[in-house]
Amino acid sequence: MAELMASGAKPDVLFWVGCAGSFDDRAKKITKAFVKILNKAGVNFAVLGAEESCTGDPAKRAGNEFLFMMQAMANIQVLDAYEVTQIVTTCPHCFNTLANEYPELGGKYKVMHHTTFINNLLKDGKISISGGPYKGKRITYHDPCYLGRANGIYEAPRELIQKLDAELVEMRRCKSNGLCCGAGGAQMFKEPEPGKKDINVERTEEAIETKPDVIAAGCPFCNTMMTDGVKNSEREGSLPVLDLAELIAEAQDL
Amino acid sequence: MHFGIQNIIFIVVLIAAFALFGRSFSKIWRNIKLGKDKNRSDRKSERWALMTRVAFGQSKMVKRRAVAGFFHVVIYAGFLLINIEVAEILIDGIFGTHRIFAEPLGGLYDVAINFFEILAVLVIIACLVFLYRRNVSVVPRFKDLTGWAKKDGNNILIIELVLMTALLLLGAVEANLPDAKAGPWLISGMLAPMFSGFSVESLHTMERIFWWAHIVGILAFLNYLPYSKHFHIILAFPNVWYSKLEPKGQFTNMESVKKEVELMMDPNADPFAAPPEGTEVATPERFGAKDVMDLNWVQLMNSYACTECGRCTDSCPANQTGKKLSPRKIMMDTRDRLEEVGKNIDANKGEFKEDGKTLIDDFITREELWACTTCNACTEACPVNIDPLSIIMDMRRYLVMEESAANQALNGMMSNIENNGAPWAYPAADRGNWINEA
Ligand code: HEM
Ligand code: SF4
Ligand code: SF4
């Protein structure tokens, strides 16, 4: 972003990569797949690079409002300095925080989750999909809490699966009734409380019940949780957990 | 019928019943007002629409659990409509009239009573179904109810059964009376032969007994409400009206924290500056919630509106995988603690006397609070739009900001964010490294 601005150019949209997308090896693949799509569609975008910082979501959900507020204000200063108006992100937690919690603090941007963004690219004819490796495959979609219930986005990701000519198979609990993967509310960063079972195992079993060829996810944290769940199951090695950006990028043969 | 001693007794009973209810109600209202302010009076037209849909229209009741939803709608509709008949009973009781609407309404009266009687039978069936689901073939979400909560659930259904039965028997007795004002009606007409052998005089006595049983039963029920989850029949409506309209994922930004952070980040601010003259130096507010007084009034109203139905707990990922957390328990604990605080205030002439207890630890354990994934399944499932998650969050805020009591892993995550802007220990400068990786 800094480089772009220095050269006097102004991007249309900022891709907010998020901490997982920047540092986590698995999530970096999602980031790269999404960048491929953006490039293919000729989107004029930029990233903040080292100037991006955690939105504060995990701190806030852990109860640390101070840390959240400091992160939020610092991020808003950076975003405003670059005159950002539109943001797209591959992380539903970043999406929720930027879209819902920043405006009250002065950070007002048009924020989109990448599944909505890709859907728009398809609708506008910026990219197209024909056939592809997922044609006829059974794909089940896990609703991330912070995209689904938290923000009412259930259809955009499902439309993408349909565009792949794949068979969308729903889990017993889906959409507003979907079961959490177990990562939210800062759980990602701690051990679960004692119980009978881990939440991600429960959810993965539910996904496996649908006899899928692929589990689709729309969140890097859900992806990790479900991937771990599959590792603990009889489908280990034969059931990929893929982000929608990866599915689309692959179908496009990028 | 003429105005007589019966009517005087009736009027006294009526006034006493309402006075007693008013007293309980105002205590509950006082308790709710112990909570902090929260403005939930914005976007009024949306709120009316929401209340019409969710409370009047029972939309979330019928959405996912068809059996419970259906039978509840029966009881609910029965209550709303049979109350029209109760209005008549009240008028009759006060003025010494008998079935005052019968004459002016003529044939329509019989239609109405026939309809109410059918409803009454449906209500009886619904209550039996609910009793079955609570005691015989127990629905999972009712399994962990014990003590008062379990008894209360059954009491309500039994009282409802008795009331409806009294109403039908009243009609059955009247069907045998030579001087009946109207009728016989559909259902009570069928029951009428039960009383055919009695003299007119004993029929009159029985008519009085059932009449009194019905109305005294209703007044007693009214006074039972404040001690019961059945209070939801009143609070469900305002509770939905005042519910959160923002996206479920949007958590409140704490104004007090915002101000402090702004001050910290403002290079021109002098943190040691004396407050401008004339402003009161307020005692710093507690961050988050340690006890019920730290919650806001909507959260406290939520606790009184809870029907203890367990839909929240049944959909909670933590609970369903064996963790201690149960959003229903969060609501019931909040109400229990609030009741305790209220009694304390009553006993101490209107002042709360420190009792060494708090909502946190004495009612809700830390283990429960830390098990929440903030997934919003509970708020989505609740038929009366209760928000257990907001209480969990406020208590986490207290734990972290007042007691620094997060566990080690979370503290590590937070210090990473503080030091390098990510929840993991990667240097901030490496954030863009993926760009140059193949
Ligand atoms: C105003 C008249 C109402 C009456 C007479 C009424 C009556 C009852 C009765 C008798 C029960 C006990 C059923 C059982 O044991 O399972 C009950 C439970 C319940 N009611 Fe109501 N209710 C009323 C209003 C409402 C409203 C407006 C709502 C919310 C939309 C509501 C939601 C519930 C829920 C969630 C339960 C728990 C039982 C279950 O899960 O099925 N009620 N109500
Ligand atoms: S938000 Fe928390 S309490 Fe509510 S259902 Fe999810 S995990 Fe359970
Ligand atoms: S909070 Fe709502 S869903 Fe949970 S028990 Fe109470 S009324 Fe039922």
Side-chain angles (χ1 to χ4, degrees):
Chain A
M1 186 86 185
E3 291 155 35
L4 257 182
M5 287 297 270
S7 67
K10 196 168 173 289
D12 299 329
V13 48
L14 174 81
F15 170 26
W16 183 277
V17 183
C19 300
S22 305
F23 294 119
D24 180 86
D25 284 334
R26 175 68 191 85
K28 276 196 258 185
K29 293 190 186 145
I30 303 171
T31 306
K32 288 173 201 167
F34 183 54
V35 167
K36 280 182 193 160
I37 297 170
L38 291 173
N39 283 332
K40 169 88 179 186
V43 177
N44 176 16
F45 76 100
V47 295
L48 286 174
E51 286 181 275
E52 190 185 284
S53 189
C54 174
T55 59
D57 162 87
K60 189 178 182 90
R61 317 278 137 185
N64 194 338
E65 188 75 359
F66 271 102
L67 185 51
F68 162 75
M69 211 57 91
M70 292 196 295
Q71 290 298 115
M73 288 183 185
N75 281 325
I76 291 170
Q77 276 180 3
V78 173
L79 290 167
D80 286 349
Y82 287 121
E83 296 168 28
V84 170
T85 54
Q86 262 208 73
I87 302 176
V88 61
T89 175
T90 45
C91 174
H93 296 265
C94 297
F95 166 72
N96 177 69
T97 309
L98 293 167
N100 295 324
E101 288 164 357
Y102 278 24
E104 253 179 37
L105 307 173
K108 299 191 174 74
Y109 320 101
K110 183 165 181 246
V111 189
M112 260 190 264
H113 185 247
H114 71 308
T115 54
T116 314
F117 195 85
I118 297 173
N119 234 315
N120 290 348
L121 292 178
L122 281 162
K123 276 182 195 140
D124 298 344
K126 299 269 170 58
I127 50 169
S128 59
I129 301 170
S130 56
Y134 294 104
K135 196 172 162 119
K137 288 271 162 65
R138 290 170 68 86
I139 302 185
T140 190
Y141 170 66
H142 164 77
D143 285 281
C145 303
Y146 274 84
L147 193 62
R149 270 190 298 272
N151 288 291
I153 300 177
Y154 302 110
E155 291 312 320
R158 287 183 167 76
E159 281 169 27
L160 290 182
I161 292 174
Q162 270 145 10
K163 297 251 169 64
L164 295 168
D165 281 336
E167 188 190 344
L168 172 63
V169 282
E170 295 288 4
M171 288 183 240
R172 193 160 52 81
R173 288 177 273 195
C174 63
K175 300 189 183 171
S176 64
N177 196 23
L179 181 73
C180 174
C181 72
Q187 296 294 339
M188 183 76 194
F189 307 99
K190 62 185 260 301
E191 287 303 312
E193 272 55 37
K196 304 194 291 274
K197 204 180 202 178
D198 284 344
I199 297 172
N200 63 326
V201 172
E202 169 89 4
R203 184 54 165 171
T204 309
E205 285 172 2
E206 209 166 285
I208 292 174
E209 275 171 31
T210 68
K211 302 194 173 55
D213 299 312
V214 177
I215 297 176
C219 167
F221 297 103
C222 297
N223 195 309
T224 305
M225 293 309 253
M226 302 296 279
T227 304
D228 285 351
V230 172
K231 274 188 202 139
N232 281 312
S233 77
E234 74 273 19
R235 293 288 304 268
E236 180 182 5
S238 71
L239 179 56
V241 181
L242 295 169
D243 191 88
L244 286 156
E246 293 174 300
L247 289 169
I248 298 286
E250 245 179 274
Q252 277 224 321
D253 203 14
L254 293 174
Chain B
M1 280 273 168
H2 298 287
F3 191 84
I5 182 79
Q6 265 199 40
N7 306 101
I8 295 172
I9 297 173
F10 181 78
I11 292 168
V12 171
V13 169
L14 195 64
I15 292 173
F18 273 95
L20 201 61
F21 178 72
R23 219 176 80 111
S24 316
F25 191 90
S26 62
K27 269 208 185 127
I28 289 179
W29 191 242
R30 191 244 1 237
N31 289 354
I32 290 174
K33 289 302 215 181
L34 293 174
K36 291 194 198 158
D37 279 350
K38 171 97 191 163
N39 180 14
R40 280 274 174 83
S41 302
D42 56 336
R43 298 156 77 177
K44 289 202 172 57
S45 58
E46 265 173 81
R47 294 187 180 282
W48 286 113
L50 190 70
M51 188 177 91
T52 308
R53 194 157 26 92
V54 175
F56 276 110
Q58 305 263 301
S59 62
K60 288 171 101 176
M61 284 298 280
V62 293
K63 194 172 170 195
R64 235 172 254 146
R65 291 168 203 270
V67 179
F70 172 78
F71 286 108
H72 184 273
V73 168
V74 168
I75 298 183
Y76 169 71
F79 172 82
L80 290 186
L81 295 168
I82 293 171
N83 264 344
I84 301 172
E85 198 174 343
V86 176
E88 182 185 48
I89 293 179
L90 289 182
I91 297 173
D92 286 348
I94 294 169
F95 298 105
T97 49
H98 182 62
R99 294 205 179 258
I100 189 163
F101 295 155
E103 248 165 71
L105 290 179
L108 205 59
Y109 187 78
D110 286 330
V111 174
I113 300 287
N114 279 335
F115 179 64
F116 294 154
E117 286 199 345
I118 294 170
L119 263 180
V121 172
L122 290 175
V123 169
I124 288 174
I125 295 171
C127 288
L128 291 173
V129 170
F130 279 143
L131 277 170
Y132 183 80
R133 286 158 55 89
R134 275 179 186 273
N135 299 287
V136 186
S137 162
V138 186
V139 177
R141 63 196 162 93
F142 293 139
K143 279 206 175 107
D144 53 351
L145 287 180
T146 51
W148 173 246
K150 185 176 161 86
K151 222 193 242 162
D152 180 30
N154 285 327
N155 286 350
I156 294 162
L157 294 166
I158 291 165
I159 298 173
E160 198 89 25
L161 273 177
V162 170
L163 289 178
M164 290 302 122
T165 311
L167 190 70
L168 291 177
L169 292 181
L170 175 66
V173 171
E174 279 193 71
N176 288 294
L177 283 172
D179 56 345
K181 281 256 176 171
W185 301 295
L186 219 54
I187 311 290
S188 56
M190 284 194 265
L191 299 174
M194 283 167 65
F195 301 99
S196 60
F198 292 94
S199 67
V200 172
E201 202 171 312
S202 39
L203 284 173
H204 270 298
T205 314
M206 277 192 274
E207 189 267 344
R208 285 291 88 194
I209 290 173
F210 288 129
W211 189 91
W212 276 93
H214 186 63
I215 189 65
V216 171
I218 288 176
L219 294 176
F221 204 14
L222 179 72
N223 278 292
Y224 178 74
L225 295 187
Y227 303 96
S228 158
K229 76 184 182 75
H230 210 46
F231 204 48
H232 81 272
I233 73 171
I234 298 173
L235 278 191
F237 299 91
N239 200 74
V240 172
W241 201 90
Y242 285 109
S243 57
K244 172 174 166 181
L245 296 181
E246 292 82 24
K248 284 189 187 305
Q250 180 177 340
F251 292 7
T252 52
N253 288 321
M254 291 173 70
E255 202 49 42
S256 50
V257 175
K258 183 183 165 204
K259 284 207 190 95
E260 282 196 34
V261 173
E262 266 169 353
L263 208 66
M264 245 162 53
M265 293 182 64
D266 180 357
N268 301 320
D270 174 4
F272 303 108
E277 220 159 309
T279 50
E280 296 238 352
V281 185
T283 37
E285 213 184 324
R286 177 181 284 154
F287 293 119
K290 181 185 190 186
D291 208 347
V292 284
M293 298 78 108
D294 304 323
L295 294 168
N296 67 52
W297 73 273
V298 177
Q299 292 168 317
L300 298 185
M301 175 168 68
N302 278 182
S303 77
Y304 279 111
C306 175
T307 70
E308 297 170 17
C309 73
R311 281 171 173 73
C312 50
T313 297
D314 203 43
S315 61
C316 172
N319 186 276
Q320 294 304 302
T321 54
K323 277 76 174 179
K324 282 214 181 106
L325 172 63
S326 156
R328 167 171 62 190
K329 179 178 170 291
I330 299 283
M331 299 320 300
M332 292 169 70
D333 286 344
T334 303
R335 175 177 173 157
D336 288 347
R337 172 61 181 159
L338 185 53
E339 282 282 296
E340 186 177 84
V341 167
K343 290 203 182 95
N344 178 316
I345 292 176
D346 291 335
N348 294 299
K349 305 188 190 76
E351 285 273 344
F352 176 69
K353 209 166 135 215
E354 205 48 64
D355 61 355
K357 287 205 236 169
T358 54
L359 180 59
I360 213 162
D361 294 337
D362 295 302
F363 289 78
I364 300 172
T365 60
R366 295 165 192 230
E367 182 178 335
E368 291 164 64
L369 296 171
W370 288 118
C372 175
T373 72
T374 70
C375 74
N376 265 305
C378 51
T379 66
E380 179 73 36
C382 181
V384 289
N385 278 3
I386 284 169
D387 187 352
L389 172 55
S390 70
I391 297 180
I392 295 171
M393 275 314 304
D394 282 347
M395 296 181 81
R396 279 192 183 179
R397 284 169 168 174
Y398 164 77
L399 286 176
V400 171
M401 291 191 284
E402 295 282 349
E403 286 196 0
S404 307
N407 72 22
Q408 218 175 355
L410 287 181
N411 280 333
M413 176 270 286
M414 292 190 283
S415 64
N416 284 333
I417 294 181
E418 222 173 310
N419 298 327
N420 40 11
W424 301 285
Y426 296 104
D430 290 354
R431 200 176 259 274
N433 286 4
W434 60 270
I435 300 169
N436 302 316
E437 292 165 13

